[in-house]
Amino acid sequence: MSSQDPYGDVKGGSEGQSPSKNIKKVTCIGSGFVGGMLIAKSSLNICETDSIKGPTSAVLAFMSDVDVTVVDVNPDRISAWNSDVLPIYEPGLFEIVCAARDGTIVDEHLIRPNVSELANSAGLPNTDESSDTIRSKGRPNLSFSANIDQAIMEADLIFVCVNTPTKSNGFGKGAAADLGFVEAATRNIAKVAMESKIVVEKSTVPCKTAQSIREILSANANPGVRFDVLSNPEFLAEGTAVKDLLRPDRIIIGSMPTIEGRRAASSLADLYARWVPRERIVTMNLWSSELSKLAANAMLAQRVSSVNALSAICEATGADVDEVSHACGLDSRIGLGMLKAGPGFGGSCFQKDIFNIVYLSESLHLYEVADYWRAITKLNEYQKCRFTRRIISCLFDNLNNKKIAVLGFAFKKDTSDTRESPAITLVTNFVAERARVAIYDPKVKEEQIWKDLLNDEGSLKSLKQQVEVCPSAYAACAGADAVVIVTEWDEFSNKKQLLTSTARVPPPALSRLDPNRPRHNGPLGSSKNFGDISRDVTNSFPCDAMARVDNCLATIALGSTKPNAPRLDWSRIANGMRKPMFVFDGRNIADRKELEALGFRVEAIGKASTYP
């Protein structure tokens, strides 16, 4: 047995015993998107973090009997996680947090508006919305706290889910990741921990960051305390994060090629194996794990920029970008994913991770490689500017004092995240052209919109002279010269919507696993070697966990087959707008012919104008 082979045969203890450590308490430092999502699976967060960290913790707690604590230095964020108004929006997240945090099950018909109406239309059983919320008690195992030190001391395993923004000054400005929060969290763990811990790097970080974490922990550890460092990057898409967590494509775990490192990886694999099939849990070395997250996001961004580049050609030639992308996606080597043209990609990850790869490439003197990846972000900015120019051109090259209704401010539907949203650039451009802008988004809070538009510059009072945030789409569109669809929220679309097959079957109640119910031991509960983790089959996968995942997905599907708000009445919008009326469809979610029949002139991304 070689200690240099990370996939060699390793057995801990006597024959027939698992080499892994039994994880009973998990702490997640950082309560943003990743940390919070883990909560449903386990628990614990700290520091300002990406908005996908919260859901991760939630799902971890929900799908296991492990005690999960999410900690954060921001008491307001912790208060929000402990309330009925969560700091982030994700379909299904509120229900999962309630179940894991409070030990309650909330009747789906009472939480999500229009679900009971949908059930009636689908011929499903319904409940009286005036009745009390149906609650079913279970053992709460998810908590949110600002007491970071206590959570660290009590944890067997610690997820570091803190923010890693792009540096705004100094060397690497605008490209390198700022690892200040990671280092601060690491030093605090070393100072506080009095017993050995497994520390899991979950934040998106540059390659080799785990080595820095290991050195800081080793240099500052209390006597007799040992730290094993793992890399476990998150591959979540905002808007579908709960689904991605319940049924992930893969779980990546990176470790050192030592017996201790493999045992730590085995312990984390056991945690995920409560609901993830073993063959989807992949182990590798630390550096491969770190780079895999950056590479995945860069490649996804590359696909978006590729189809957006084609959209410009389509508009000039008369081709239809939807038809072209569909034809390309039918090639099994390409696939249909991420081939929707739009006003440009947004979110916290794509641009930041590409910049990380650019900076890494330049640090390694691979300048041609850096230029290749940098071109993706340049094309993304070009797409935003190109869409703006098309709007100005159609509005007779003059936006001065014209009212522009912007529908959607989040960077994509089914999320409240606005980071790097194309809407920020578009609204800024409209304001620069002295237009009056009215914004509506069903999930983004007004204060977040003002924060994004100001960006620590300018005067809010001055901005409000040109921009207003409206309570409804109708208020935003009243008296407008043009409507710009920026986010693909279902309620903005006038295309026909069909119920999915999932919605035709009443989902079971969102249920917790009975901690007293016997379960099968996973493959790691036997004498199988650590090297077999990524190759195990699921014949011993717990049936109750599989059923629970299916129940959750069915519940989410029932709530998402109809939007939270009714679809817009575009005839009502037409009656209140100035003539001529324009709709600029940045997401290709509008039925062009139906809108034209109402008197709108419709201009869509990747489709040639039908007007002179």
Side-chain angles (χ1 to χ4, degrees):
M1 179 176 62
S2 170
S3 62
Q4 300 303 311
D5 179 9
Y7 308 106
D9 295 341
V10 177
K11 298 178 182 177
S14 60
E15 183 70 15
Q17 292 181 342
S18 170
S20 62
K21 178 180 180 180
N22 185 22
I23 303 299
K24 296 181 179 180
K25 292 188 177 182
V26 173
T27 290
C28 181
I29 300 180
S31 62
F33 192 75
V34 171
M37 280 307 225
L38 271 172
I39 293 166
K41 301 175 189 172
S42 60
S43 71
L44 185 51
N45 280 276
I46 183 174
C47 296
E48 289 288 344
T49 64
D50 299 335
S51 70
I52 205 148
K53 295 179 175 64
T56 303
S57 297
V59 173
L60 174 57
F62 180 78
M63 291 304 298
S64 75
D65 55 1
V66 172
D67 289 322
V68 179
T69 303
V70 179
V71 296
D72 201 293
V73 296
N74 186 334
D76 292 336
R77 182 175 286 268
I78 291 299
S79 296
W81 278 112
N82 281 318
S83 73
D84 288 335
V85 182
L86 303 185
I88 62 175
Y89 169 75
E90 277 288 325
L93 178 59
F94 176 71
E95 296 87 331
I96 284 180
V97 168
C98 285
R101 181 192 66 190
D102 307 325
T104 62
I105 297 169
V106 185
D107 186 308
E108 179 67 17
H109 298 290
L110 302 183
I111 318 174
R112 187 174 279 114
N114 300 309
V115 171
S116 58
E117 178 186 331
L118 174 63
N120 287 331
S121 66
L124 304 181
N126 193 10
T127 60
D128 180 5
E129 293 199 16
S130 64
S131 64
D132 292 337
T133 299
I134 298 174
R135 295 182 180 272
S136 176
K137 281 289 180 182
R139 185 183 75 86
N141 63 331
L142 172 64
S143 60
F144 299 87
S145 172
N147 193 336
I148 299 169
D149 290 357
Q150 180 180 345
I152 290 173
M153 286 189 289
E154 294 178 351
D156 301 309
L157 182 147
I158 301 171
F159 285 107
V160 178
C161 302
V162 299
N163 198 12
T164 54
T166 302
K167 290 184 67 175
S168 57
N169 49 54
F171 288 105
K173 175 182 177 181
D178 185 344
L179 300 178
F181 293 135
V182 173
E183 180 173 346
T186 302
R187 290 184 179 278
N188 195 48
I189 291 170
K191 180 184 73 173
V192 171
M194 303 306 294
E195 296 179 348
S196 297
K197 313 282 183 184
I198 297 174
V199 178
V200 183
E201 165 196 85
K202 208 157 188 66
S203 300
T204 302
V205 295
C207 193
K208 291 284 191 176
T209 300
Q211 181 61 36
S212 301
I213 293 175
R214 292 178 69 244
E215 291 179 2
I216 292 172
L217 290 173
S218 177
N220 295 277
N222 289 306
V225 175
R226 171 187 174 79
F227 295 103
D228 291 299
V229 178
L230 302 176
S231 169
N232 177 217
E234 203 64 78
F235 298 93
L236 305 182
E238 282 154 299
T240 60
V242 173
K243 294 180 184 178
D244 295 342
L245 287 161
L246 290 171
R247 190 168 288 167
D249 293 330
R250 78 287 201 197
I251 297 294
I252 302 297
I253 301 174
S255 71
M256 291 296 293
T258 62
I259 293 176
E260 293 82 3
R262 298 170 197 168
R263 286 176 178 168
S266 180
S267 300
L268 182 56
D270 279 351
L271 199 58
Y272 281 114
R274 309 285 180 97
W275 77 96
V276 179
R278 291 281 179 174
E279 70 270 15
R280 295 189 184 181
I281 302 175
V282 182
T283 59
M284 58 185 64
N285 72 49
L286 277 171
W287 328 132
S288 296
S289 177
E290 289 177 331
L291 187 57
S292 67
K293 173 61 183 293
L294 300 179
N297 279 340
M299 288 183 178
L300 291 173
Q302 178 190 51
R303 290 174 68 89
V304 176
S305 284
S306 293
V307 74
N308 282 341
L310 288 172
S311 72
I313 299 175
C314 289
E315 291 172 23
T317 61
D320 186 314
V321 72
D322 285 342
E323 295 175 349
V324 172
S325 61
H326 182 71
C328 293
L330 292 176
D331 188 323
S332 60
R333 298 167 300 175
I334 299 174
L336 291 167
M338 305 296 289
L339 288 181
K340 290 292 292 181
F345 60 74
S348 65
C349 294
F350 283 3
Q351 179 167 287
K352 181 181 72 171
D353 291 353
I354 289 175
F355 284 156
N356 268 323
I357 290 182
V358 168
Y359 185 72
L360 175 63
S361 300
E362 291 179 337
S363 299
L364 298 171
H365 306 293
L366 303 173
Y367 300 110
E368 292 80 5
V369 175
D371 290 342
Y372 170 80
W373 291 110
R374 186 183 287 109
I376 295 172
T377 62
K378 288 184 176 180
L379 197 142
N380 193 54
E381 294 304 312
Y382 165 74
Q383 184 77 347
K384 300 174 193 177
C385 293
R386 194 175 68 82
F387 192 41
T388 302
R389 286 198 297 267
R390 185 174 181 183
I391 293 170
I392 295 173
S393 176
C394 290
L395 291 174
F396 317 111
D397 291 314
N398 174 36
L399 298 188
N400 188 30
N401 205 36
K402 290 180 178 177
K403 182 177 179 180
I404 309 296
V406 173
L407 299 187
F409 201 82
F411 84 92
K412 62 185 289 190
K413 75 171 186 176
D414 290 336
T415 182
S416 57
D417 196 347
T418 62
R419 286 171 294 180
E420 305 296 338
S421 173
I424 299 172
T425 300
L426 293 173
V427 171
T428 300
N429 291 341
F430 297 154
V431 169
E433 293 290 327
R434 305 200 62 77
R436 294 179 293 116
V437 184
I439 303 168
Y440 167 71
D441 189 285
K443 294 298 179 184
V444 178
K445 296 179 180 179
E446 180 175 349
E447 55 265 32
Q448 184 62 51
I449 293 176
W450 295 124
K451 180 179 178 181
D452 289 331
L453 292 177
L454 283 172
N455 194 25
D456 299 324
E457 297 178 2
S459 162
L460 179 60
K461 182 178 179 181
S462 176
L463 182 63
K464 285 186 174 182
Q465 292 178 358
Q466 285 184 257
V467 180
E468 62 176 322
V469 179
C470 300
S472 71
Y474 299 111
C477 295
D481 295 87
V483 176
V484 181
I485 301 175
V486 184
T487 310
E488 69 279 24
W489 288 104
D490 290 340
E491 64 185 86
F492 300 155
S493 176
N494 66 333
K495 290 184 177 179
K496 293 180 180 179
Q497 185 182 40
L498 298 176
L499 286 175
T500 64
S501 58
T502 314
R504 300 184 186 278
V505 181
L510 199 61
S511 59
R512 301 291 304 277
L513 285 175
D514 183 349
N516 298 317
R517 180 176 178 178
R519 305 181 202 170
H520 291 286
N521 287 328
L524 282 182
S526 65
S527 60
K528 282 186 174 287
N529 296 326
F530 172 73
D532 293 329
I533 287 178
S534 62
R535 297 187 291 276
D536 277 317
V537 296
T538 58
N539 55 356
S540 59
F541 189 69
C543 294
D544 50 3
M546 296 178 72
R548 194 162 161 211
V549 168
D550 289 339
N551 292 354
C552 291
L553 293 175
T555 302
I556 294 169
L558 178 62
S560 63
T561 50
K562 186 165 184 175
N564 288 342
R567 295 244 176 155
L568 294 184
D569 181 350
W570 281 93
S571 62
R572 176 181 169 184
I573 290 176
N575 290 335
M577 288 182 63
R578 294 178 60 186
K579 307 299 188 289
M581 306 179 297
F582 293 82
V583 171
F584 297 94
D585 186 2
R587 296 289 185 171
N588 288 327
I589 62 172
D591 186 314
R592 188 172 193 159
K593 291 183 179 180
E594 287 193 10
L595 290 183
E596 288 176 338
L598 294 173
F600 287 101
R601 172 173 168 175
V602 181
E603 301 283 344
I605 285 278
K607 301 177 190 289
S609 176
T610 58
Y611 308 93

